[in-house]
């Protein structure tokens, strides 16, 4: 209300005398701008989305405030999937300056690597294999990078081979060729050493010599006075130890004493070291041998999976330790895979962290609850809190927070609360109109509307106003608002 100046009458029991002047003035809602206009605190209104640390400032009135952004991770793109992870594993970030680190929990994984467990048969390079195993939204797909020879048949045994000879094959295309190791030999040729007697054309002679699961058999073609003139090998036998000379073990006729020498052997069976092929071949010749054999050829080559590439890493909710083939683009069957390792496909933030200096992208893993390593992330950050390291002065209700830089979509914002800063007093000027003409001595009472002490600065009193000093209780602050003032003189 305005200043009320009245001449009052004597009232029994009062301290007033006839003719005294009583001046009353009430000013309500006097603005308390928390002089000197410091920023007491900033509340985060919108966290925003930033790739790097944004810059905080202010607009409107006021200068000198220093605001500090404390950022939290809100999401992260996987920069490197790493290896050895499982859904549910947690990954703690490292780097930056923080009071707490961000933690992400893995939602889904992708296949990072695996080994060929069984090569199967019938595969060719570039065949695709859809995997079966684990729980997947999208199962992984492999592409056969190279094949290896699984088996082949002897089409020509050759001659001059010994047990344990190796034969490097020619045929197909690849970085390394298949190598065969002779395990069993068969008699390729032998010479008549002693013609014997009593033989007739068509007699068969089972030979004795070497070590054989099945001994070689020759058939007499012609004779001269009962002595063998010509013959042929009718059963080549199956030998694990060769011999160069043979005697007669038995015969279908009555001939005796025939012997044979200069035995030469061809390939019967072998083991395969499969090589690495980008182009299969059904037939092979000999490229080289560790022995002196020549002329062996092979056909009916069958190939299995040697190496694969992961053409689609899949999306897994549950990892699998091994896989079988669900389907293939070719005709191969029987390939299986094991020794699987998984990387991170997607993860969500479970602990936001609080950073004043952000770690550099890509952010590395500090630790994991599992055994995974090597994953890195490109996080997006939002405001966690905004603290005031210097309140500045001159700020008022038109002052606002500004946010610049940081990339991404931005959008972060804060709301200023003006205040005295913790524990500091605030001076609130109270001004009446010049017509108030307050007397030289007057009293004032204040309703500060906040938990604080108040006093009138006696030295500031004038005929039109004075200053009220508000001192917060304990470590509180005086925030912007209004006070009510009653003046009596």
């Amino acid at each position: 209300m305005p200043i009320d100046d009245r001449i009052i009458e004597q009232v029994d029991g009062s301290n007033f005398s006839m003719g005294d002047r009583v001046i009353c003035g009430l000013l309500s809602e006097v603005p308390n701008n928390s002089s000197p206009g410091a920023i007491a605190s900033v509340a985060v209104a919108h966290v925003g989305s930033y790739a790097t640390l944004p810059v905080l400032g202010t607009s409107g009135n006021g200068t000198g405030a220093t605001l500090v952004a404390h950022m939290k991770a809100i999401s992260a793109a996987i920069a490197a999937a790493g290896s050895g992870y499982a859904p549910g594993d947690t990954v703690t970030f490292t780097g930056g300056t923080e009071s707490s680190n961000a933690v992400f929990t893995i939602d889904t994984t992708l296949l990072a690597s695996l080994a060929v467990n069984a090569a199967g048969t019938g595969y060719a390079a570039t065949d695709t294999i859809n995997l079966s195993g684990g729980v997947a939204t999208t199962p992984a797909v492999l592409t056969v990078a190279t094949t290896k020879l699984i088996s082949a048949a002897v089409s020509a045994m050759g001659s001059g081979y010994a047990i344990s000879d190796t034969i490097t094959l020619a045929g197909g295309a690849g970085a390394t060729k298949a190598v065969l190791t002779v395990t069993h030999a068969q008699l390729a040729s032998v010479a008549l050493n002693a013609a014997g007697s009593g033989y007739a054309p068509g007699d068969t002679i089972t030979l004795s010599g070497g070590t054989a699961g099945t001994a070689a058999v020759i058939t007499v073609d012609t004779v001269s006075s009962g002595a063998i003139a010509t013959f042929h090998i009718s059963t080549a036998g199956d030998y694990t130890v060769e011999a160069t000379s043979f005697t007669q073990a038995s015969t279908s006729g009555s001939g005796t004493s025939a012997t044979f020498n200069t035995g030469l052997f061809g390939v019967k069976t072998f083991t395969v070291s499969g090589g690495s092929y980008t182009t299969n071949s059904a037939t092979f010749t000999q490229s080289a041998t560790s022995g002196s054999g020549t002329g062996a050829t092979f056909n009916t080559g069958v190939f299995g999976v040697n190496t694969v590439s992961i053409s689609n890493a899949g999306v897994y909710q549950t990892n699998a330790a091994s896989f079988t083939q669900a389907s293939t683009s070719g005709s191969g069957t029987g390939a299986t895979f094991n020794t699987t390792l998984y990387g991170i496909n997607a993860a969500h933030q479970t602990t936001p962290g609080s950073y004043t200096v952000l770690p550099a992208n890509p952010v590395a893993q500090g630790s994991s609850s599992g055994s995974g390593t090597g994953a890195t992330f490109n996080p997006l950050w939002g405001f966690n809190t905004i603290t005031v390291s210097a309140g500045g002065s001159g700020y008022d209700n038109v002052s606002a927070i500004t946010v610049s830089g940081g990339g991404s979509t931005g959008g972060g914002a804060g709301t200023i609360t003006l205040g005295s800063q913790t524990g500091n007093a605030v001076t609130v000027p109270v001004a009446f109109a010049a017509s108030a003409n307050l007397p030289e001595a007057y009293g004032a009472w204040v309703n500060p509307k906040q938990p604080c002490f108040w006093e009138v600065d006696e030295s500031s009193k004038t005929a039109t106003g004075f200053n009220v000093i508000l001192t917060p209780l304990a470590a509180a602050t005086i925030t912007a608002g209004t006070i009510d003032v009653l003046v009596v003189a």
Side-chain angles (χ1 to χ4, degrees):
M1 70 176 187
I3 293 294
D4 189 8
D5 187 350
R6 293 173 180 264
I7 303 296
I8 67 170
E9 298 178 353
Q10 178 70 42
V11 177
D12 289 342
S14 74
N15 293 323
F16 295 108
S17 301
M18 179 69 71
D20 282 350
R21 296 173 64 224
V22 176
I23 301 173
C24 292
L26 173 63
L27 286 183
S28 61
E29 304 295 316
V30 176
N32 159 26
N33 290 324
S34 298
S35 174
I39 298 176
S41 63
V42 178
V44 174
H46 301 288
V47 298
S49 178
Y50 298 90
T52 58
L53 188 68
V55 177
L56 294 177
T58 62
S59 63
N61 297 322
T63 59
T66 301
L67 308 179
V68 178
H70 299 255
M71 307 298 287
K72 64 181 179 181
I74 55 177
S75 65
I78 310 302
S83 181
Y85 296 95
D89 286 352
T90 59
V91 176
T92 302
F93 285 2
T94 189
T97 301
E98 81 297 323
S99 57
S100 64
N101 287 301
V103 178
F104 277 69
T105 297
I106 298 171
D107 298 316
T108 57
T109 55
L110 50 79
L111 185 62
S113 66
L114 79 174
V116 177
N117 179 49
T121 59
Y123 294 92
T126 73
D127 282 354
T128 58
I129 300 173
N130 298 306
L131 297 182
S132 174
V135 177
T137 304
T138 304
V141 179
L142 309 180
T143 297
V144 178
T146 62
T147 58
K148 62 182 179 181
L149 183 65
I150 301 300
S151 65
V154 176
S155 56
M157 72 173 79
S159 181
Y161 295 93
I163 303 300
S164 299
D165 280 355
T166 59
I167 302 170
T168 303
L169 299 182
T176 57
K177 302 296 186 178
V179 176
L180 311 182
T181 300
V182 178
T183 56
H184 293 246
Q186 55 187 328
L187 189 62
S189 65
V190 69
L192 181 64
N193 180 47
S197 61
Y199 293 96
D203 284 353
T204 59
I205 301 172
T206 301
L207 300 182
S208 176
T211 301
T214 301
V217 177
I218 65 171
T219 297
V220 177
D221 293 324
T222 62
V223 298
S224 176
S225 301
I228 298 172
T230 61
F231 64 91
H232 69 275
I233 299 171
S234 52
T235 299
D238 184 350
Y239 289 82
T240 55
V241 177
E242 297 175 0
T244 57
S245 61
F246 296 92
T247 59
Q248 176 178 295
S250 62
T251 180
S252 63
S254 57
T256 61
S257 303
T259 61
F260 305 86
N261 62 8
T262 322
L264 291 174
F265 287 80
V267 178
K268 175 72 173 180
T269 62
F270 50 85
T271 59
V272 180
S273 175
S276 178
Y277 290 85
T278 53
T279 303
N280 295 349
S281 176
T283 61
F284 296 93
T285 58
Q286 175 177 296
S287 171
T289 180
S290 62
S292 57
T294 59
T297 62
F298 307 87
N299 60 12
T300 323
V302 175
F303 290 79
V305 178
N306 183 48
T307 62
V308 295
S309 63
I310 299 172
S311 47
N312 186 332
V315 177
Y316 286 85
Q317 290 79 41
T318 303
N319 294 350
S322 60
F323 290 100
T324 58
Q325 173 179 299
S327 61
T328 179
S329 63
S331 57
T333 60
T336 62
F337 307 88
N338 61 6
T339 321
T340 55
L341 290 174
Y342 294 80
I344 300 174
N345 179 64
H348 70 279
Q349 173 261 99
T350 46
T351 300
S354 183
Y355 295 80
T356 53
V357 177
L358 299 180
N361 282 344
V363 179
Q365 168 185 308
S367 62
S368 172
S369 64
S371 57
T373 59
T376 59
F377 305 82
N378 289 322
L380 290 178
W381 306 89
F383 289 117
N384 187 30
T385 60
I386 298 172
T387 59
V388 182
S389 63
S393 62
Y395 295 94
D396 56 26
N397 58 4
V398 301
S399 302
I401 295 294
T402 61
V403 183
S404 60
S408 192
T409 57
T415 303
I416 291 174
T417 297
L418 299 176
S420 61
Q421 298 293 290
T422 302
N424 292 343
V426 166
T427 300
V428 181
V430 177
F432 288 88
S435 60
N437 192 25
L438 296 174
E440 185 175 339
Y442 55 87
W445 283 264
V446 176
N447 174 15
K449 301 182 181 179
Q450 297 190 56
C452 62
F453 299 107
W454 64 268
E455 62 179 313
V456 174
D457 181 2
E458 292 295 327
S459 65
S460 70
K461 283 184 175 181
T462 68
T464 57
F466 50 87
N467 290 333
V468 175
I469 300 173
L470 305 179
T471 303
L473 299 177
T477 61
I478 305 298
T479 61
T482 60
I483 64 174
D484 295 335
V485 176
L486 174 64
V487 175
V488 178

